[in-house]
Each structure stands twice: as C-alpha cells, then as structure tokens.
Amino acid sequence: MAASTSPETKLSSGLPGLDTMLDGGFNKGRVILILGEPGTGKTIICSQYLYRGAAELGEISMFIGMNEPKSRFTREMLNLGMDFAKLEADGKFKYVDATEVRKIPDTAKVGRIAVGGRELGLVNLLDTIQSSIAKFDPARIALDSMSDLVFRFPSVEERRPVVLDMIETLQSTSATSLLTSELLSTGEERMLQPEEYLAEGVLLMRTLRKGVRTIQILKMRGSKVDTHPRPYVITGKGLEVLATEEVY
Amino acid sequence: MAASTSPETKLSSGLPGLDTMLDGGFNKGRVILILGEPGTGKTIICSQYLYRGAAELGEISMFIGMNEPKSRFTREMLNLGMDFAKLEADGKFKYVDATEVRKIPDTAKVGRIAVGGRELGLVNLLDTIQSSIAKFDPARIALDSMSDLVFRFPSVEERRPVVLDMIETLQSTSATSLLTSELLSTGEERMLQPEEYLAEGVLLMRTLRKGVRTIQILKMRGSKVDTHPRPYVITGKGLEVLATEEVY
Amino acid sequence: MAASTSPETKLSSGLPGLDTMLDGGFNKGRVILILGEPGTGKTIICSQYLYRGAAELGEISMFIGMNEPKSRFTREMLNLGMDFAKLEADGKFKYVDATEVRKIPDTAKVGRIAVGGRELGLVNLLDTIQSSIAKFDPARIALDSMSDLVFRFPSVEERRPVVLDMIETLQSTSATSLLTSELLSTGEERMLQPEEYLAEGVLLMRTLRKGVRTIQILKMRGSKVDTHPRPYVITGKGLEVLATEEVY
Amino acid sequence: MAASTSPETKLSSGLPGLDTMLDGGFNKGRVILILGEPGTGKTIICSQYLYRGAAELGEISMFIGMNEPKSRFTREMLNLGMDFAKLEADGKFKYVDATEVRKIPDTAKVGRIAVGGRELGLVNLLDTIQSSIAKFDPARIALDSMSDLVFRFPSVEERRPVVLDMIETLQSTSATSLLTSELLSTGEERMLQPEEYLAEGVLLMRTLRKGVRTIQILKMRGSKVDTHPRPYVITGKGLEVLATEEVY
Amino acid sequence: MAASTSPETKLSSGLPGLDTMLDGGFNKGRVILILGEPGTGKTIICSQYLYRGAAELGEISMFIGMNEPKSRFTREMLNLGMDFAKLEADGKFKYVDATEVRKIPDTAKVGRIAVGGRELGLVNLLDTIQSSIAKFDPARIALDSMSDLVFRFPSVEERRPVVLDMIETLQSTSATSLLTSELLSTGEERMLQPEEYLAEGVLLMRTLRKGVRTIQILKMRGSKVDTHPRPYVITGKGLEVLATEEVY
Amino acid sequence: MAASTSPETKLSSGLPGLDTMLDGGFNKGRVILILGEPGTGKTIICSQYLYRGAAELGEISMFIGMNEPKSRFTREMLNLGMDFAKLEADGKFKYVDATEVRKIPDTAKVGRIAVGGRELGLVNLLDTIQSSIAKFDPARIALDSMSDLVFRFPSVEERRPVVLDMIETLQSTSATSLLTSELLSTGEERMLQPEEYLAEGVLLMRTLRKGVRTIQILKMRGSKVDTHPRPYVITGKGLEVLATEEVY
C-alpha cells in the first residue's frame, strides 16, 4: 500500500476535550451530524463551534436557526459567555432565521400549481441556505435543527431524500457544517436514523440512566477518532468534555 | 471566551429539594415540561409551584385546568395544606377551567366553514390562555395537562405542531410556566416525545420497579442543574424531594 | 405552608393488608382503577370490597357485571365465603347485569339514525349505570370489567374518551368505585394505558416470572400510600396481601 | 367473613403432577385455556385429559380436532399408549373433525346473503360443537386448536368476540373443557392475548432458552393453585410434570 | 394407562450428533421445519439428509430448490464432499428446479380469470411438487426454502394458509420431508412464526452473540428428543453437531 | 461420505486479519454482503478489497458508487493511502457513477408507459451494472450502497425482489462482488434483513456500547470461517482487523 497522504485540515470544535476525541477538530468541508436526546446541549455545541471560529479565529460563521428567533438565541448564548451580537456587529457572525419552517401550511401554491406545504418548506429552506451562503461565504455553518422540518416526513422513504437534500446543499459549499437532529428513542437498542448514514460524521449525545451525559463519535470520515463514549458536563461556559474518562 | 454574564433570575419551585437540583429554582420566563407516569404527582408539583408564588411571594398565579373542575382541584389541594380558595379571594390566584377541551365534538363549524373538532379545541384553548393572561397578567402559570388535548393527535407529525402552538403561546407571555404531559410508556428504553424537544426544560417523574419514585431534570436551558434522578415522597404536604440521595 | 387539613374519609377495602398499604382504605368518593393481568383476582378484590361494605358495615353495594351473569358471579363468590345472594335478599347488594355490552352488533339504529354499535353500547352502559345508581344509591360500586367494552376502541384516541365517560359517570355519584381493566402486556417495560391517567387511583396486579403475584399502588389521589409492590396469595377466602413483605 | 362453602368438584387432569399443581384437578364445568409455544405438548395434554376420563373413569370424552384428521390423531396418541380407537368403539370417545375450518373460502353465501368466509367458518364450528355435544353429552371436551380459526381475525377487536363465542359455547354445556391456543411470541415480555382474560383458567406452556419446558397456572377460577412454573418432560407415555421442582 | 406401542420408524438425518438429539433420526413420514438465521446451514443440513439416504441407504431423494439452480447447488455440495450429480446419474437423486417462484409477475391470468401472481406461484409450486413426487416416488424430500415464496404473504392471516398448503402437500406423500424457513429476527424474544405451529417437527438454528452456532429441537411429534440447544460447526464436510456440549 | 473436493479459489480481501477470519479470503465468484452501522467503514473495506486487486494483483476492479461522486471517493481513499486515480489511469480501476439513483423522480415514462420512478431507478442501475461489466470485465466489484436505492422499498415484500435482482445481476458475472447495506437498528435483538438471506456471504460490522467496533462473519457459503466477532480499528491506512482478539 502506498504511503498515506497528508491528513485533512482540521477546524477546532471550540471544545478542547472534543478536539482531543476528534484528533484535532472537525475535518474542513465536512457535514457533521449532532444527534442527541433532549437537553444534551446540541445547540450549545453548535454555538461553541461558531464562536470559536468567529471570535478567536476570525472566520465568518453562520447559524441557521429553525426553532428560535435570533433574540432568544443571542440571549441564551450570552448567558454562556458568548456575545454573538457583538460578533454580528463586527461582521463575523450571521444569524439566518429559518423558523418559518415550523409553521408551514399543509398546502400552498407555487404560481398555479398546488404544492404540499411541507415540500415547499423544504424548498424555501434550501433557498434560504443557498442565498445566505452566497451572500456571506461562511467558513463555519450550524443548522439547528433539521428535525423542525423533517418531522413532517415520518416514514424512512420520505425522510431520507429530504435529509439528503439538506446535506448536499451544505456539502456544495466550502464551509464546514454542523447539523443537529433529535434522537427518536432512548436506550442502547434503537432504530438507526437515515441522517446517520448520510452525514459524513456523527456525534451521539445522550443522558444515561443515572443522569450522566455522554458524547460519542459514531462516525467521522477522513479522520482517526476516539470512538468511546465520554462524559461531559454543561457549565456556565458551555459543554466541557472529559475526554479521558470512561462511562461504563 | 468572554466572561460569563449574570445568571438568569430564578423562581423558587416551592420544593426545597427541587430548588437544590435546579440551582435555585426555575429560570424566569421559561416554559418547563413536567413529564410523568400516572400517580407521580404532576398536578401537585404544579400546585406547590403556584402556591409558593401566590401565598408566600405575592405573585399572581394561574392554573389552567384541563382535566378537573375548580372545585375538585381546590379540594384536593386543600387536603395538602394549600388553600387556593383563599388565595383566589385575595386576588392572588386564578383557576382557568379548560376542561371542555376533553369533550370536543368530532367536527364543528366556525361560521360556514367545517373544522375538525380537535383543531377547534386547540384554537379555543389557545384563545382561553391568551385572554386569561391578558386579564390577569400572571407571573406563574401551570397548564395541566396538555395530554388532555394532545391525545387526539396521535402521530408525531400531527402532535408536534400542536405542542409547539401551546408552548409558544406560553412563551409569548412574561410568565414562567409549567406544562404537564403524560409519559407514554414505562422503562428505560422509550420513544422520546416531541414536547421534550420543544420545551425549554424537562422534568421526568417516574415510579421504579420497586415502587421508588424519582424526579430527574432532563433539560433546563439557561441553568446548571443536577441531572441525576433523585427520589421523592408524597406526604400530607405535597412532594418532598431528597436531593442528596441516589436511586441506583 | 399552611397546616394540613383533616384527611379524607377512608373506606376499608375488605383486605387488611391492602388497607395497610392504603393508609386505612380507599378514599371516599374516588374512582379507583384495578389494572391486572389474567388470573390476578381483579374480580375477587372487587367482591371483597363490596362484601366488606354490605355484610359488615351495612353499606349499599352494587356490582356492575360486564362479563358474567349474576348466577355465575354469585356462585364463584360463594365458594370464597361471600354470600351475595343473601345480601341481595337483605337489600344490601345489587347485581347489575351489563353483559349485553359484549354482544353489541356492529351497527344499530337509534330512531332513524344509524349509530355504530359500539358507541350505542357505551351509551347503553352509561344509562344502565346512571339509572341503577339513581335507584339504589350505593355507597360502593364495582364495575368489572371496562375492557369488555373498551376493547372495541383499540386506538388511544378512541379509547381515552370512552374511558373518560365511564369514569366521569362514576365520579358524578357519591359512591366510591372500583373499575377493573385488563393489562395489555406483561413485563416491566409497557405502554401506559389511558385509564391509568384518568382514574384517581390505580392498583396494579401482576404475576412475576416465578409465579409470585404482586399488588402495587401506582397512584392514589388524596392519600399517602405505600408504593412498593407487595406479594399476595389467593386463598379459599379471597386475596390476602402480605403488606410487609418485599418482592425484589 | 362467612365460613367457606364446600369446594368445587375436581376432575383429574390425567397428569399426577399437574393435579398436584391444580389442588386435585380441573374444576368441573370450567373452560380452561392451554396456551403454549410450538412443541410444548398442547395436544398431548388434551389427550391425557380425555383418556383419563374415558379409559379410567368411564366418562364420555370428545375431541374437537381443528388441525388434523382423526386417523392422524389416533395414530399419534397410540404411540403414547393411548388407544382412542378402542375407546371410540366402546362408545366412550368421540372425535369431531372440524378441520374444514382451516380451508374456508374468503367469501361464501348463506342463502342469498354474502358472508365473509371466516365468519361462516366460525358459525359452522359453533354449530358443529353444539350438535356434537347435544348428541354425545360429553363430560370432557378438548378443542384443539382455536388458533386454526382465530388467526383469520388478527386484530384484538376482531379476535376477542370470536374467542368469546367459542368459550361461551363450551360454557353452555355441563362438560369441563380444554381449549388450546398458540402463543404469539416467546420471552418474558409479551402482549397478553384476549383468550387469557376470557377463559376461566389458563395454563401457560413454554420452552426456556436452555431447552427446559415449563408449565405454569396463570389463572384458575374457583381453585387455590400453585402459580409457580414447573418443569415437565415429554416421555413415551406423554407429559410428566415435576410439580416439586423449580425452574429459575 | 395402556402399554406404549412400538415407536415410529426412524430415518437417519445424516448427522450423527443430530441423530443422537433426535433419539435415532427423523420419524418416517413427518414434515420437519428447519428454521434458521442466515448462514446457519439450512441448505447443508438438507443436503446431508438427502445424501445419507441416496448415497448410503439407496433411498430415492428429491431436492426442491427455490433459490438456486441445480448447477449451483451441485457445485456447492460437491465442495462439501457430496456428489449429487453422480447420484442423479444413478437415479437416486432428483433436483426439482422451482426457482421461478421468485420471479412471479404481480398478476397473471388463468384462462380468462385474473389471478394474483403470488397465488399463481403457490399453485404452480404445489403442482410441481405433486407431479415430481408422482413421477419419482421419493423417500426423502427437502424443500429449500419456503421463504422464497412466503415472503410475498407478509401478514399472518395470509401467510398461514400458504404454509399449510405446502405442508399438507408434503404430508400427503409417504416421504419424510424437510422444509426450510428463514427466521425473521435474532434474539431470545421473538414473534413465533406460523410454520412452527403447522409443521410436525421444528429445528431452530441460530448464531449466538459470541459467534457460536446452535441447533435446538423445539418440536418433534412422535419422538422423545433432546430439547437443549447444542453447538455445531460447519466443516469441509458439512455440519457437525456436538450433541453432548452445552451452550449457556 | 466421499472425500472432499478441492476448495474454492480465494481472493485476498486486502485486510490480513479478515483474510485470517475468512480462511484465506473471499471465495471467487461470490456475492458478499457488507452489512454495517454508520461509521463502521463499509466503504473503506470495499476500497481495500479493490485496491488489493488492482494495485497489487493486477486484477481489473470496479466500484459502483451510489452515494458519492468519483471525485469525493478518490479523495477520501487517497487520504487512506489508496491512489485510485492512478489505478484508473493505468486501466486497472473503473469508477461507475450511479448516484443518480438517489434522485429519481417519483414517476417517469418509458415510452408511453408510466412507470414508478423507483422501479425505473432499479432498471437503470441494473443496466448500468451490466453494461459496465460487459465493457470492463472486472475481477472485483464493489457496489456501495444498495440502501441508496432499496430504502424506497420499505416493506419486506417489496424489498426482497429488488435485492434479489441486484444480487443475481452480480452473480451472473465472473467477478467476486461486495455489496454494502445499512443496518436498520442497533443491538443484539434485531429484525433480519432479506439481503442477509439472499447474499452468499455476510459480514456484520457494528459499534458496541463502549465504542469498540467489531466485524463478524455471519455467513460464507463454500468456506470454513471464524464466526466470532472480532475487534478492528480504523487507522490512517484503513481497517485493521484484530483476528485473534475477543470482544465479549
């Protein structure tokens, strides 16, 4: 076998422990899925990722918010010590409001053609993403959460193409993207979700029975990673991953 | 990373042990889900929360009752030492009767337009909530239980928008709100319910196999909390959470 | 918090061990669900409850039988030492035969309006209950078993309103009522049934893997109770609950 | 509580160990469900029960065979030492062939009325049972297996009335009846089947993971029984229950 | 009870260890189900059974192949040391190609009557079996695998009559038949499949978590058998059952 | 039994540890299923297999890519030290782009006949495979992943014939083929997927709870193999199987 080529460029996740697990950070240009139970900090991990880029590395960062308006997002993150309003004023951060996707009517009309409202919602979302990217050319993107749209497509054969469209839209840019999704069930035995196969990387965030939260890298193309679940805590400054501790 | 800003304002839950778990109380303005098995005291925890505000802190408190008339609620809680009739006479408490939501006809008419009865029930509930809030301007709200309406929307794609409408109605006020919901199954491995993702905080209340009841904070935006399940007992004065005991 | 008011009036269940678990007995005026696996003695516990009232305390007691005619019920219970025929002759006991609910045609006509037979069955049952209560004014009621009607409404959104109608009919009286229902599955992990949420108290009766039968109070509004599962045996005189023994 | 009345008359099951578990035998006039996994000997236990009556106690015994012709049944049981051909010649045994129930066309006509073939199958079976009972007046009946008809009614709301019709037909006689049914799944956690609730007694026959077969009395109205699962073996003379051995 | 009659005639299975488990072999004239997970050797066990008869005992043996053409079957088995081409030339073996059952069109016409293609497939298969049997009069038959047809009938109420038709066709001959079927799920807790109830014997072949393969006799009418799961290996000469070893 | 014939020709898998498990390699001409969870390296194992043939043994190798364009595949594998661009230039490797299968419209027209888009996708894929094979005559093929088409056929009765068509197309060549598929759920208890029965060999790749990845040979026709699950790691040079280590 030929000698290995130079490894891919890494972007720090903004979480030192997670960077350790990731062998340095997320691989440049990848679309990574953050799949988690409620309350595990999916939005916070996105914010730390964007903040790291915008505040410390001068990279343009974009948050596509599907479940909360900018004001709430900004306030929440300020509580964790991340001042996105200031970053936006500095031109380093852009909040794209995509919350209308939650309120789509059941049917709509595009010109004279009746279209299912949920399909229209998808088309609108993809348009919003593409035009925002064209305008701001971000290095880092977080889309939170695809479940706000995808829940309208409950069967696997409906859900999979929708997820694919979202991921390919993000892949078509030069940005490195995080994409959050909601886990459908708790426990060790679970149905796999199509986004886990379609994304290039998958982080799984769970709360174990005793209340310990864990993060596990299920998948990361182009990178050697630590595949063990690791505990983490949510502090006043965001998530802190304990990359050398075991949970079982 | 910048220094952390001042933490959010806390409202005492009325349960000392739970306040310990919550790092002081519920965060002001949040919508918190109380998700529990039958008999775990979802209504009692709501009442203790409202009583604490109305009787001890002089805050206007409102109970939106979807499964029992005021007379029964008042009697039940009096047995636990909470005299809501007196608080109502003092102008500190308001009981909003929303029990008609349980008896909705299958179809109805709004003007000349036929509407599914269950959708009308939702609209009526939201109107009731909004007009009551406009009238009484409560600091604390408890809605018990959203399941009395939501069970009519059994699939996830139907259920999620209904839950979202309720939560956003509560979020649009300045009150801090509790919202109860029924757990669909027992055990460690379970389907996650959409309200767990849509609410800003989630308390999970269960009865373990041996009969021990536990309360666990699954999610609490804007707050560092104890995520371990903790045992509690129901006494003649309501719930008592044993915040320093372990259950496994 | 104010001092606790006087506790609710208690009715002895007729089983000394269960009274211990219940902190004295069932609370007056409540509707209690007896949820159990096959062969766990749901009917016997109802009979002991009624017999205690009618034979020893002089309270009018009524059994609404949905799955067996009076003759069989009377014979079964006589074998366990409870002579309901004598109590009926003394005017202390009334057997209401509601077994026709099991044999409802699929559709029927009320006047000129076609009605689904199962809905008619529900209406007939509620009428039977109400007119019987009006006539006999019982202090104690047992309805055995709601599953004989409810199985025709298999989805949760159909089943829940039917259960609610039954429970509210029983709540509208001054009697204290037991209502039996069949558990849908064995084991620790199970779907919760809507009647568990709608009733004011729930007793769960199961047969463990090794053949030990257990009774557990899942819920009891207005009362401090023992929530641990306790073993019991069925003897020639009915159920005997071993209220101080553990099962795990 | 009054003194217990005299216990019900018992019929020996033909299996000494099972009689021990049953506190003497099956109660006269009852309809008992034999619910078992494949290969656990449901048919053999029926045969031993009938043989005991016909060959040793002079009781008329009837086998209603829904899945095999008389010739095969007779041959199988002769291998186990039970000569039903001789008993039939002696007028003590009657084999009722109801195997046509397995081959019902999807629709049929009764006079000019189109009837679903499966409903017709049920009607035919009940007619066959009733006319056979009228003709032979058996003391013991075994119907093997109701699943040969009931599988055509897969939903609970369809299945339950069919099972009820069969059980009531058997209850309307003075015979003591066994009724076999197939278990739908293996393991400790399983859906309960409606026949378990409708029959007056239930025996559960299973093969554990290690290959040990167990029999357990889940239910037996009118009788104190041993509810522990007990091991048994199938020998050249039928089932032998080891009533004093434990399996877990 | 009368003395036991002479036991049924036994046919060696071709696997010494399995013969030990079977108390000598398969009972003559029976239809035995081989139910197994992928890769457990269902086809090999059939071949060893046929080879034993044809090559060593001079019995006519017939393989009804539903998922591979004769050429592939012959080649596979030659690798395991069984030369079926030679046996066929000697008139001891017949390969019946029934692979067209996998390729049935969705609908077809029988004369002027439109028939669902899958029903036609069943009719064709039964015709093929019957005419082949009439022509060759085999002592041993293996049909591999009924799942190649039955998967088109996914619900139990559809699947059961189809399985019954196949089994009865095989029972109507004087041959002793093996019939393979695919297990639908792994693990201890599983849905039982109708063929397990309809066949006269059932062998269950599984791969345990650690990779050990086991064979277990779940059912065998007319025979005392070892019901414990036993380990086996697949060697260059086929399956070798370790009839005295335990697996748990 | 006759002496065993000469074993089948083996092709090295490109992974030394896996070759050990396989008793030398994959059997020539077989179609092997690679069934795995997300992130377990299904694509990498295919690449190592093709690279081994093309770069070291001079065998024509073909990759049929259903979920990524050639450019991305080439780049990913170059990172792991496999230069497929060079191999393609040397005429040893061919990338067949079948990604259009992911984007099939719901309906299409073949001439004047409306065809379901998903069926057309299948036909197109099979045509692409066949014409590519005719043109390049590969010794090694990898198709990655059949799930990109098959997810459109979610029920077993739809899915099975589609899988069969793919496998038979690959079997009709003289190549040795790998075919990847996505596992539908995690854990020990799972539904078996039809491709596990239809392929001639099955490798199962999973991530255990603690993060250890394992590979297990569930099935391999024509070969004695190690059936134990073995751990493996993904390094900068691809998968490394630890063929002598145990995982439980």
Side-chain angles (χ1 to χ4, degrees), chain A residues 76 79 182-183 186 211, chain B residues 8 30 160 188 190 197 227:
Chain A
E76 304 278 5
N79 280 344
E182 300 170 359
L183 205 58
T186 68
Chain B
E8 300 188 21
R30 300 287 186 175
R160 188 173 175 126
E188 303 298 333
R190 64 186 181 86
Y197 286 108
T227 61

Side-chain angles (χ1 to χ4, degrees), chain D residues 120-247:
Chain D
L120 187 62
L122 174 62
V123 170
N124 285 346
L125 176 65
L126 299 183
D127 283 353
T128 299
I129 295 173
Q130 285 174 320
S131 62
S132 300
I133 288 170
K135 202 162 155 194
F136 300 106
D137 191 23
R140 294 176 179 229
I141 297 175
L143 189 155
D144 178 44
S145 132
M146 70 172 223
S147 301
D148 290 301
L149 174 66
V150 169
F151 81 90
R152 295 186 195 274
F153 302 82
S155 72
V156 168
E157 67 271 26
E158 288 178 322
R159 182 184 183 107
R160 188 174 175 125
V162 173
V163 172
L164 181 61
D165 276 346
M166 286 196 205
I167 288 178
E168 293 202 332
T169 300
L170 293 171
Q171 277 176 333
S172 68
T173 75
S174 61
T176 306
S177 302
L178 303 190
L179 178 65
T180 66
S181 181
E182 300 169 358
L183 205 58
L184 296 178
S185 61
T186 69
E188 304 297 334
E189 308 231 338
R190 63 184 183 86
M191 297 306 292
L192 287 157
Q193 301 178 203
E195 55 268 35
E196 301 180 65
Y197 285 107
L198 297 174
E200 299 177 274
V202 180
L203 301 187
L204 179 66
M205 303 174 78
R206 297 211 289 205
T207 304
L208 302 188
R209 193 180 66 149
K210 286 188 171 187
V212 176
R213 286 168 174 147
T214 66
I215 189 166
Q216 181 177 14
I217 304 174
L218 288 188
K219 177 178 183 177
M220 201 57 61
R221 296 198 88 176
S223 194
K224 282 180 302 180
V225 296
D226 172 9
T227 60
H228 296 78
R230 301 294 179 186
Y232 68 91
V233 291
I234 304 183
T235 73
K237 296 193 171 181
L239 272 72
E240 184 178 343
V241 176
L242 309 172
T244 58
E245 295 198 6
E246 306 214 340
V247 288

Side-chain angles (χ1 to χ4, degrees), chain E residues 97-207:
Chain E
D97 187 320
T99 54
E100 72 178 11
V101 84
R102 302 177 119 197
K103 298 284 185 182
I104 298 155
D106 282 341
T107 56
K109 286 211 171 185
V110 177
R112 292 163 59 187
I113 301 163
V115 181
R118 61 180 197 172
E119 282 74 21
L120 187 61
L122 174 63
V123 170
N124 285 348
L125 175 66
L126 300 183
D127 283 353
T128 298
I129 295 173
Q130 283 174 322
S131 63
S132 300
I133 289 170
K135 201 161 156 194
F136 301 105
D137 191 24
R140 294 177 179 228
I141 297 174
L143 189 154
D144 178 44
S145 137
M146 70 172 223
S147 301
D148 290 300
L149 174 65
V150 169
F151 82 89
R152 294 185 196 275
F153 303 82
S155 72
V156 169
E157 67 270 27
E158 288 179 322
R159 183 183 182 108
R160 188 174 175 125
V162 173
V163 172
L164 181 60
D165 276 346
M166 285 196 205
I167 289 178
E168 293 202 333
T169 299
L170 293 171
Q171 277 176 334
S172 68
T173 75
S174 61
T176 306
S177 303
L178 302 190
L179 177 67
T180 66
S181 181
E182 300 169 0
L183 205 58
L184 297 178
S185 61
T186 68
E188 304 297 334
E189 308 230 339
R190 63 186 183 85
M191 296 307 293
L192 287 157
Q193 300 178 204
E195 56 267 35
E196 299 180 66
Y197 285 107
L198 297 172
E200 299 177 274
V202 180
L203 301 187
L204 179 66
M205 303 175 78
R206 296 209 290 204
T207 304

Side-chain angles (χ1 to χ4, degrees), chain F residues 104-179:
Chain F
I104 298 154
D106 282 341
T107 57
K109 285 210 170 185
V110 178
R112 292 164 58 188
I113 301 162
V115 181
R118 59 180 199 173
E119 281 74 20
L120 187 61
L122 174 63
V123 170
N124 285 347
L125 175 65
L126 300 182
D127 283 354
T128 298
I129 296 173
Q130 285 173 322
S131 63
S132 300
I133 289 170
K135 202 161 155 196
F136 301 104
D137 191 24
R140 296 178 177 226
I141 297 174
L143 188 154
D144 178 43
S145 134
M146 69 171 224
S147 301
D148 290 301
L149 174 66
V150 169
F151 82 90
R152 294 185 196 276
F153 303 82
S155 72
V156 168
E157 67 270 27
E158 288 179 322
R159 182 183 183 107
R160 189 174 175 124
V162 172
V163 173
L164 182 59
D165 276 347
M166 285 196 206
I167 289 178
E168 293 201 333
T169 299
L170 294 171
Q171 278 177 334
S172 68
T173 75
S174 61
T176 306
S177 302
L178 303 190
L179 178 66

Side-chain angles (χ1 to χ4, degrees), chain C residues 187-206:
Chain C
E188 303 298 334
E189 308 230 337
R190 63 184 182 87
M191 297 306 291
L192 287 157
Q193 301 177 205
E195 56 267 36
E196 301 181 64
Y197 285 108
L198 297 173
E200 299 177 274
V202 180
L203 301 187
L204 179 66
M205 303 174 78
R206 297 211 289 205

Side-chain angles (χ1 to χ4, degrees), chain D residues 69-97:
Chain D
K70 180 165 75 172
S71 57
R72 189 181 306 152
F73 171 82
T74 306
R75 192 173 64 242
E76 303 280 4
M77 295 308 144
L78 192 60
N79 280 346
L80 295 168
M82 294 179 269
D83 188 347
F84 281 100
K86 181 173 178 306
L87 289 175
E88 192 166 29
D90 294 347
K92 292 297 181 194
F93 175 72
K94 178 65 187 175
Y95 186 98
V96 177
D97 188 319

